[in-house]
Amino acid sequence: MDKKKLKALKLTANTLRQDVIQMLLAAGAGHTGGPLGMADVFANLYFNVAKHDPKKPHWEGRDRIVLSNGHICAILYASLAEAGYLPKEELKTFRKLDSRLQGHPARMDLPGVETSAGSLGQGIGVAVGMAMAAKLDSKPHTIFALMGDGELNEGSCWESFLNAHKFKLDNLLVMVDRNDIQIDGYGHVVLPLDPLADKFKAFGFDVFEADGNDMAQVVSMTEKAMKTKNQKPRVIIWKTIMGKGVDFMQNLPKWHGIPPNAEQAAEAMKQLQAERVRIEAEKA
Amino acid sequence: MKASLTLHPMLFDKPEKKATRDGFGEALLELGQKDERVVALTADLGESVRTHAFEKAFPSRFFEVGITEQFMIAAAAGLAMEGKIPFATTFANFGTGRVYDFIRQSVCYNQANVKIAVTHAGITLGEDGATHQMLEDLGMMRTLPHMTVVVPCDYLETKKAVWAIAEHVGPAYLRMGRANVPLITTAETPFKMGQANVLREGVDVSIAACGVMVYPALIAAVELEKTHQISAEVVNHHSLKPFDSKTLLKSAKTCGAIVTAEEHQRTSGLRAACAEVLSESLPTPIQYVAIEDTFGESGTPDALLQKYGLTKDNVVKKALAALRMK
């Protein structure tokens, strides 16, 4: 990818992060760390990789972006708004009464949300079902299933992986947010998952791993995975930093499920704006 | 008997018996032939739930997912959201309690057009015992927003129910049994989802029944007339949701006493549905025949029905008790 495009994606990710901070501040409750950590992956998906049309959210040929760990929906809503599925103003209604932006995504409320998710380990099954349907109808679109690593604690995820392998779903691309943090603490303490790549390999996946906060890697590894078609499901394990971009949030489990207060939000915005200036100064 | 319903002529002599699940298997095949959107999933119970004919006819539209019921429900939701009409099939306990949260979030909250078709419900599952005898499913399913709940009473009613839930756009739960049960209805008997059938008209007491309890209710009504000179109405409430309040209220008004009969816990099923409607609109004495807040056990279906009181005799007893409350 040329540097200009890469720079544009970095700027988009920065915009999404700023939107996330503003949303969480306005909401006064919600998950901050996960959305910040996945901003780069979402920016690449919505603004580089996936075929989709905000004007026709139900267009049959679209790639499906299925968020399985619904609690990081702030980044989904920010991406959908940036893409034009909803007015940016509406982001301020997140988690409020009568809003289409529910605390966890609701399919019937907001076009662009492929499945309701919140209770973990279900969206992946829905995504596999969508991939089965696409295979049956010989449709070429890709089903992206975004998952948290904590979510992989749920046994039902592994039921879905077994079946993704059985039905040779090479139209499915799973993306795991490997930040090693969940509500009760560090993932490797709460319930160890390593060796995670080996587990996926043993379940019959083509496995890719990369730094999910380095846009160049995010772009190239997604491209590589998209080109890989071996009649097997694919997974990219994105190593990310929960809270990425805001130094006092980074890698601290307490920021999994809380919003910033006004002072913290101001500091976060300051840091993200400084980062934006740095990105803009990059040679393209 | 109500002539307009053209019930089975041998009903009270030597009733022919067939399993509801056999009706399901046949209807699913016919449905598959008519509508290519229909797909089926099963969780290692294809033979028991009678999806084999469908599998043979439409191998690419049939998904054997192994013993992964949670996945099966979620995947059915995904298939439905892509325009398929998926039938997710397994036993009643694995298709409800085990996967309740999946039905709640991925099927009902998504308003996904998933048909959950289960067999082996209730104690008539028999020898496998209490672990497999689901007796709480109707309560779980009918409290879910957007869910439709149908409990056919026999083989032919099951076939009609399969067609009806396929036509209906939205989540649906179809509850079937394992055992062979008497043929009550005929091809001519009308079936409309959400509309109860008054099988026998009466004026003294009304028996509201569903599923395998419809037959004991009918023979109880005959005995009430012959032995006690009591005129009993029998209503087949095959649809628990949407529930036919109108027919229930009309029957309650005519008879002034109700007996409910179901192969389910005494709470949250048909008895509850009737009590909810009557307590609000027309307080009426109610007696019930149901499982008394207990688990089942191993045994033959008939022995279990006897032991747990799901019998004609108990319906008669409860009808007399209801009459005394008038």
Side-chain angles (χ1 to χ4, degrees), chain A residues 64 106-108 114-119 121-122 125-126 128-130 132-133 136-137 156 159-160 163 166-167, chain B residues 39 41 60-61 63-65 67-71 74-75 77-79 81-82 84 101-102 105-106 109-112:
Chain A
R64 274 52 164 178
R107 170 178 180 257
M108 296 310 286
E114 294 285 358
T115 189
S116 305
S119 182
Q122 297 196 31
V126 172
V128 171
M130 289 173 169
M132 286 155 70
L136 188 55
D137 296 339
S156 58
E159 292 187 0
S160 298
N163 277 287
K166 173 181 174 177
F167 295 112
Chain B
V39 300
L41 304 92
S60 66
R61 283 154 58 192
F63 302 101
E64 167 64 81
V65 301
I67 311 165
T68 65
E69 293 86 3
Q70 298 179 99
F71 165 73
L79 282 156
M81 292 191 279
E82 295 298 333
K84 304 296 174 194
D101 188 38
F102 286 69
Q105 176 174 294
S106 293
Y109 192 38
N110 273 335
Q111 294 185 42

Side-chain angles (χ1 to χ4, degrees), chain B residues 40-69:
Chain B
L41 304 92
T42 197
D44 201 28
L45 287 169
E47 165 84 45
S48 299
V49 301
R50 301 291 193 255
T51 50
H52 273 24
F54 183 93
E55 178 183 11
K56 214 172 151 197
F58 313 106
S60 66
R61 283 154 58 192
F62 177 79
F63 302 101
E64 167 64 81
V65 301
I67 311 165
T68 65
E69 293 86 3

Side-chain angles (χ1 to χ4, degrees), chain B residues 3 13 41 77 127 180 198 212 223 231 244 259 265 271 279 291:
Chain B
D13 304 320
L41 304 92
E127 293 82 350
N180 290 327
V198 180
V212 303
E223 182 171 316
S231 159
D244 187 355
V259 179
Q265 298 290 0
R271 175 194 179 209
S279 63
I291 299 291

Side-chain angles (χ1 to χ4, degrees), chain B:
Chain B
M1 303 305 300
K2 213 170 160 186
S4 61
L5 295 183
T6 21
L7 297 183
H8 200 282
M10 300 295 287
L11 187 54
F12 298 109
D13 304 320
K14 206 169 175 252
E16 208 182 316
K17 287 187 173 186
K18 245 177 162 177
T20 48
R21 57 183 168 142
D22 288 325
F24 170 67
E26 287 169 29
L28 185 67
L29 177 65
E30 293 162 13
L31 202 59
Q33 286 156 347
K34 284 258 166 70
D35 191 336
E36 64 173 23
R37 293 173 302 166
V38 173
V39 300
L41 304 92
T42 197
D44 201 28
L45 287 169
E47 165 84 45
S48 299
V49 301
R50 301 291 193 255
T51 50
H52 273 24
F54 183 93
E55 178 183 11
K56 214 172 151 197
F58 313 106
S60 66
R61 283 154 58 192
F62 177 79
F63 302 101
E64 167 64 81
V65 301
I67 311 165
T68 65
E69 293 86 3
Q70 298 179 99
F71 165 73
M72 177 172 70
I73 297 297
L79 282 156
M81 292 191 279
E82 295 298 333
K84 304 296 174 194
I85 304 176
F87 278 75
T89 66
T90 179
F91 287 178
N93 59 336
F94 310 135
T96 58
R98 187 178 181 97
V99 293
Y100 182 78
D101 188 38
F102 286 69
I103 300 175
R104 182 175 178 273
Q105 176 174 294
S106 293
V107 176
C108 291
Y109 192 38
N110 273 335
Q111 294 185 42
N113 192 21
V114 172
K115 316 303 170 187
I116 300 168
V118 301
T119 65
H120 294 62
I123 54 169
T124 49
L125 166 132
E127 293 82 350
D128 276 345
T131 56
H132 286 51
Q133 290 163 346
M134 173 47 79
L135 293 162
E136 300 83 31
D137 53 329
L138 296 179
M140 280 187 277
M141 292 301 105
R142 76 182 193 90
T143 48
L144 285 169
H146 304 295
M147 184 59 98
T148 288
V149 181
V150 182
V151 190
C153 71
D154 71 1
Y155 159 83
L156 272 177
E157 191 166 82
T158 303
K159 291 188 81 165
K160 292 171 197 159
V162 172
W163 283 92
I165 62 168
E167 210 165 283
H168 166 78
V169 180
Y173 178 68
L174 180 69
R175 185 203 217 214
M176 294 166 286
R178 168 188 171 228
N180 290 327
V181 292
L183 297 187
I184 298 168
T185 64
T186 60
E188 285 72 41
T189 311
F191 178 87
K192 193 161 179 273
M193 219 164 65
Q195 198 174 298
N197 278 348
V198 180
L199 301 182
R200 185 185 200 275
E201 287 172 324
V203 293
D204 296 327
V205 60
S206 174
I207 307 166
C210 67
V212 303
M213 290 310 291
V214 172
Y215 188 73
L218 279 170
I219 53 175
V222 172
E223 182 171 316
L224 282 164
E225 180 153 49
K226 278 190 184 153
T227 315
H228 304 275
Q229 291 75 53
I230 289 164
S231 159
E233 184 146 296
V234 178
V235 183
N236 174 16
H237 280 279
H238 49 67
S239 297
L240 273 269
K241 189 179 183 179
F243 189 66
D244 187 355
S245 308
K246 211 173 132 192
T247 299
L248 173 73
L249 286 167
K250 190 167 169 244
S251 196
K253 201 173 174 191
T254 306
C255 301
I258 298 280
V259 179
T260 63
E262 65 200 300
E263 189 192 17
H264 189 268
Q265 298 290 0
R266 65 190 183 196
T267 53
S268 78
L270 177 60
R271 175 194 179 209
C274 291
E276 286 157 13
V277 172
L278 294 171
S279 63
E280 192 171 273
S281 307
L282 184 68
T284 306
I286 311 176
Q287 290 282 324
Y288 67 88
V289 174
I291 299 291
E292 298 282 5
D293 193 22
T294 184
F295 289 108
E297 63 184 289
S298 292
T300 63
D302 282 344
L304 288 161
L305 289 169
Q306 284 295 329
K307 178 165 177 179
Y308 289 85
L310 303 186
T311 58
K312 177 255 303 171
D313 289 349
N314 205 20
V315 175
V316 169
K317 194 176 121 192
K318 292 298 178 84
L320 296 173
L323 279 167
R324 285 195 296 273
M325 291 167 73
K326 272 171 95 167

Side-chain angles (χ1 to χ4, degrees), chain A residues 11-200:
Chain A
L11 286 169
T12 303
N14 180 272
T15 303
L16 298 182
R17 286 192 166 95
Q18 295 195 31
D19 289 344
V20 165
I21 294 296
Q22 298 293 353
M23 283 172 78
L24 269 295
L25 176 66
H31 301 78
T32 310
L36 292 176
M38 284 296 277
D40 304 292
V41 171
F42 270 77
N44 182 48
L45 259 187
Y46 274 93
F47 304 98
N48 180 36
V49 178
K51 296 187 299 284
H52 65 111
D53 181 354
K55 297 211 165 50
K56 289 185 281 179
H58 303 294
W59 168 48
E60 273 193 25
R62 75 192 184 279
D63 290 330
R64 274 52 164 178
I65 299 175
V66 184
L67 181 65
S68 191
N69 57 331
H71 58 271
I72 71 161
C73 58
I75 192 64
L76 172 66
Y77 297 152
S79 303
L80 289 173
E82 183 68 18
Y85 285 83
L86 62 149
K88 276 219 154 189
E89 265 305 293
E90 199 177 337
L91 291 178
K92 287 184 188 144
T93 69
F94 179 40
R95 286 180 164 256
K96 297 208 162 78
L97 194 65
D98 295 329
S99 172
R100 297 193 293 172
L101 312 187
Q102 291 293 296
H104 291 83
R107 170 178 180 257
M108 296 310 286
D109 287 353
L110 185 65
V113 171
E114 294 285 358
T115 189
S116 305
S119 182
L120 296 171
Q122 297 196 31
I124 178 62
V126 172
V128 171
M130 289 173 169
M132 286 155 70
K135 278 266 162 200
L136 188 55
D137 296 339
S138 306
K139 287 182 178 164
H141 60 263
T142 300
I143 292 89
F144 298 98
L146 288 109
M147 309 182 71
D149 55 356
E151 180 178 20
L152 298 180
N153 292 180
E154 295 280 10
S156 58
C157 300
W158 304 91
E159 292 187 0
S160 298
F161 299 152
L162 286 169
N163 277 287
H165 171 248
K166 173 181 174 177
F167 295 112
K168 302 185 170 61
L169 301 178
D170 56 11
N171 55 351
L172 176 74
L173 177 48
V174 178
M175 294 189 171
V176 175
D177 177 10
R178 184 78 175 112
N179 62 20
D180 194 35
I181 287 175
Q182 48 200 104
I183 301 181
D184 272 356
Y186 293 103
H188 67 271
V189 178
V190 176
L191 187 58
L193 287 174
D194 277 333
L196 185 58
D198 289 346
K199 284 188 173 72
F200 273 109

